[in-house]
Amino acid sequence: MLATSVSDPALPPGHAAEPKWDGWRALLSRDAHRLILRSRRGTNLEPCFPELRASAAQLPDATALDGELVVWDAAGRLAFERLQGRLQRRGADALRLAEQWPAHFVAFDLLRLSGSDTTRWSYSRRRAALENLFTDHRLTAPWVLCPSTTDPATVREWLTNWTAVGLEGVVYKRLEGKYEPSVRGWRKYKARETEDAIVGAFTGSPAAPRTLLLGRYNTDGRLHYVGRSTTLPQTAGRAVAGLLTPAGDDHPWRGWTFSAGWGSRESLHVALVEPELVVEVSVDVARDGAGRWRHAASWHRARPDLSPADVPVVEPGAAG
């Protein structure tokens, strides 16, 4: 089942809210004592996550769950980048990664219970059965029960405090709603925040840049790449062009290769500029371990009134 994005964070009447995790959506079932784990696109993930296979006996047979695969780092923050590369790992490599950065399956919906199809049940009934499943079978890590609430104050707390550890937002589900595959019957709200960053390069025409590559300085003075903007409106691109200065030979990013997107092997053709212009962008809370924004930043406005020294710094040692 899918969700439609909404701009209002308020909990709608007749709905429950669940945290939106920064991980991989996955469907899991245990049938004839065999674990089946697949991505939304149908990719077989079971060989990549031996830590789940080793704990599958905790689950009752003929049971299916919808949920999110996540990894927490040592600081207790969701570490999406630790999931990267798992699709290419099998055997000993997968075992090594499972031991170093164990994944958890955060279950948020129940699709089948001991052979009974539950998708036609209301969300309230499915949720109660899911909670009983965790209680009755005393499920422990790597199995995690996703929180659920009908309390608006709890939703506000999640959006205020939990985003610091990588929570992306919240998902709203109608209490009387059935589970309908491929139907966008849920709502999702992504937490966003406004940030300042320094333009270090751009793609597209010098007369009207298409996207901006953004950075912040480390406290040790190194310009750290933090992410790329979405496509600029034409008027914004033309306005920004007049505020950019082509880079000299000493640009800190000279010789770097930039990826076209998260997990993409395609490289961008970029033009370096002097890191002087500050811009304001809107970003969600998804970060990698080096502090980079995992999703494109939405253009807000140029800030020629600010200097790079006015932009918050990132911690020393962050990757460039």
Side-chain angles (χ1 to χ4, degrees), residues 8-178:
D8 186 355
L11 176 64
H15 286 68
E18 297 173 355
K20 186 181 186 305
W21 306 96
D22 188 13
W24 279 349
R25 179 85 176 270
L27 294 177
L28 178 151
S29 67
R30 185 169 185 256
D31 289 283
H33 307 291
R34 175 173 173 247
L35 181 71
I36 300 172
L37 182 68
R38 297 194 181 277
S39 72
R40 249 181 59 187
R41 296 184 177 182
T43 303
N44 180 19
L45 301 176
E46 185 271 335
C48 312
F49 294 92
E51 62 270 50
L52 301 188
R53 182 174 63 244
S55 302
Q58 294 186 43
L59 300 172
D61 206 40
T63 294
L65 303 172
D66 191 354
E68 198 89 6
L69 289 165
V70 301
V71 171
W72 277 279
D73 64 18
R77 182 182 173 86
L78 291 170
F80 183 88
E81 71 277 7
R82 300 299 178 187
L83 289 170
Q84 293 296 102
R86 282 288 192 116
L87 288 180
Q88 287 74 44
R89 305 295 178 142
R90 300 289 192 278
D93 283 346
L95 287 169
R96 176 179 55 81
L97 289 174
E99 183 176 349
Q100 185 177 9
W101 298 104
H104 294 74
F105 184 87
V106 182
F108 54 66
D109 220 317
L110 180 66
L111 312 187
R112 189 157 40 95
L113 179 61
S114 299
S116 297
D117 182 0
T118 60
T119 58
R120 309 310 294 171
W121 295 1
S122 68
Y123 169 83
S124 297
R125 185 181 175 189
R126 297 196 313 274
R127 176 67 196 187
L130 180 62
E131 293 176 359
N132 289 337
L133 172 68
F134 269 76
T135 300
D136 295 345
H137 292 268
R138 300 180 181 179
L139 299 185
T140 58
W143 315 113
V144 180
L145 176 63
C146 181
S148 174
T149 187
T150 56
D151 178 20
T154 300
V155 175
R156 290 192 294 270
E157 179 188 358
W158 289 348
L159 292 173
T160 301
N161 299 323
W162 286 28
T163 54
V165 296
L167 182 78
E168 285 194 317
V170 289
V171 177
Y172 301 118
K173 301 180 178 180
R174 194 165 58 86
L175 293 172
E176 296 305 315
K178 300 174 183 178

Side-chain angles (χ1 to χ4, degrees), residues 8 12 24 29 48 60 68 106 133 159 179-180 182 218 221 247 272 279-280 282 299 309:
D8 186 355
W24 279 349
S29 67
C48 312
E68 198 89 6
V106 182
L133 172 68
L159 292 173
Y179 187 99
E180 301 175 278
S182 301
N218 287 328
L272 300 177
V279 295
E280 186 177 332
S282 174
W299 168 261

